[in-house]
Amino acid sequence: DGGITQSPKYLFRKEGQNVTLSCEQNLNHDAMYWYRQDPGQGLRLIYYSQIVNDFQKGDIAEGYSVSREKKESFPLTVTSAQKNPTAFYLCASSIRAGAEAFFGQGTRLTVV
Amino acid sequence: GIQVEQSPPDLILQEGANSTLRCNFSDSVNNLQWFHQNPWGQLINLFYIPSGTKQNGRLSATTVATERYSLLYISSSQTTDSGVYFCAVQFSGGYNKLIFGAGTRLAVHP
């Protein structure tokens, strides 16, 4: 099936540990995005990538890191520097910047 | 600054009623999308509509780019329409990020 796959669906980590969230797409899309959603809130942009080996910070990049070594993959690392990491994380992709974006099913991260 | 504002923030309807959701944006856009977030958090694409009018079943959307707003119409609402509706825009002028409004939370009661 074509689409965007985020894994795992639920993730639990202890405070102080880094954790990496996976996002894979087989749509041959150039652009990929990571968003964070807190309960009852909208989506805020963490990082985005328009093309392989290139990415830019979004509005809330502090405490997060990304890589874009392959077109189909855009993993997000939540580092121990992120003060409030518990949230719902959504990955999206579009064929190019400005085109219609499609989302994965999200990863719910809980840090205890 | 760059803004995306949605109204109303909350909406309660009786099944069968019609509704209009609004999205105002502060600058010209390359992309405007409407999404429905279901209770499991999945974002469902409703419309990609940087300008013009589109219809899909009971839903339709209109974007008037020159006046910087978009409307989402829901007719004959059903309980399955409940959830949060988001407007997201990508502004022109070199900004390559998709920015979301705060959403409209819709509850449809039987």
Side-chain angles (χ1 to χ4, degrees):
Chain A
D1 284 346
I4 302 165
T5 301
Q6 290 188 242
S7 60
K9 197 170 180 178
Y10 298 94
L11 191 53
F12 296 87
R13 278 294 182 269
K14 290 186 177 179
E15 195 171 337
Q17 290 181 334
N18 291 356
V19 60
T20 297
L21 281 58
S22 170
C23 179
E24 303 276 332
Q25 53 95 2
N26 59 5
L27 301 169
N28 202 33
H29 285 177
D30 280 325
M32 296 187 75
Y33 310 83
W34 272 107
Y35 290 86
R36 169 184 172 135
Q37 186 178 32
D38 293 288
Q41 305 294 314
L43 278 71
R44 293 184 292 167
L45 182 65
I46 306 172
Y47 268 97
Y48 62 105
S49 168
Q50 296 182 64
I51 201 165
V52 175
N53 293 322
D54 181 65
F55 50 83
Q56 288 84 40
K57 292 182 179 179
D59 300 316
I60 55 164
E62 185 174 349
Y64 299 98
S65 66
V66 294
S67 63
R68 188 82 189 278
E69 296 175 2
K70 297 187 294 183
K71 189 175 187 176
E72 59 270 24
S73 179
F74 191 40
L76 174 74
T77 297
V78 185
T79 75
S80 56
Q82 168 50 232
K83 293 188 183 348
N84 296 295
T86 294
F88 186 47
Y89 291 88
L90 286 150
C91 176
S93 72
S94 60
I95 193 161
R96 63 182 183 282
E100 186 174 8
F102 298 87
F103 280 79
Q105 293 192 314
T107 293
R108 292 192 187 276
L109 172 65
T110 303
V111 175
V112 296
Chain B
I2 293 174
Q3 289 185 333
V4 182
E5 296 179 343
Q6 291 187 243
S7 60
D10 297 281
L11 190 56
I12 299 174
L13 298 176
Q14 208 67 31
E15 201 168 24
N18 302 330
S19 62
T20 301
L21 283 58
R22 187 177 180 103
C23 174
N24 291 336
F25 43 94
S26 58
D27 206 342
S28 57
V29 298
N30 289 329
N31 173 9
L32 188 144
Q33 291 184 246
W34 284 97
F35 295 92
H36 175 215
Q37 188 168 39
N38 66 22
W40 297 272
Q42 176 77 40
L43 279 169
I44 310 298
N45 287 42
L46 297 178
F47 295 102
Y48 172 74
I49 188 166
S51 64
T53 297
K54 291 186 178 179
Q55 179 156 7
N56 184 3
R58 295 181 297 103
L59 302 182
S60 63
T62 295
T63 297
V64 183
T66 53
E67 296 187 23
R68 299 184 183 165
Y69 72 89
S70 183
L71 302 174
L72 177 68
Y73 304 98
I74 304 175
S75 64
S76 304
S77 59
Q78 301 175 357
T79 56
T80 51
D81 294 332
S82 297
V84 184
Y85 289 81
F86 287 107
C87 166
V89 306
Q90 193 159 38
F91 290 101
S92 309
Y95 300 103
N96 290 314
K97 47 188 184 180
L98 193 62
I99 299 173
F100 279 73
T104 292
R105 187 172 300 274
L106 173 65
V108 181
H109 296 305

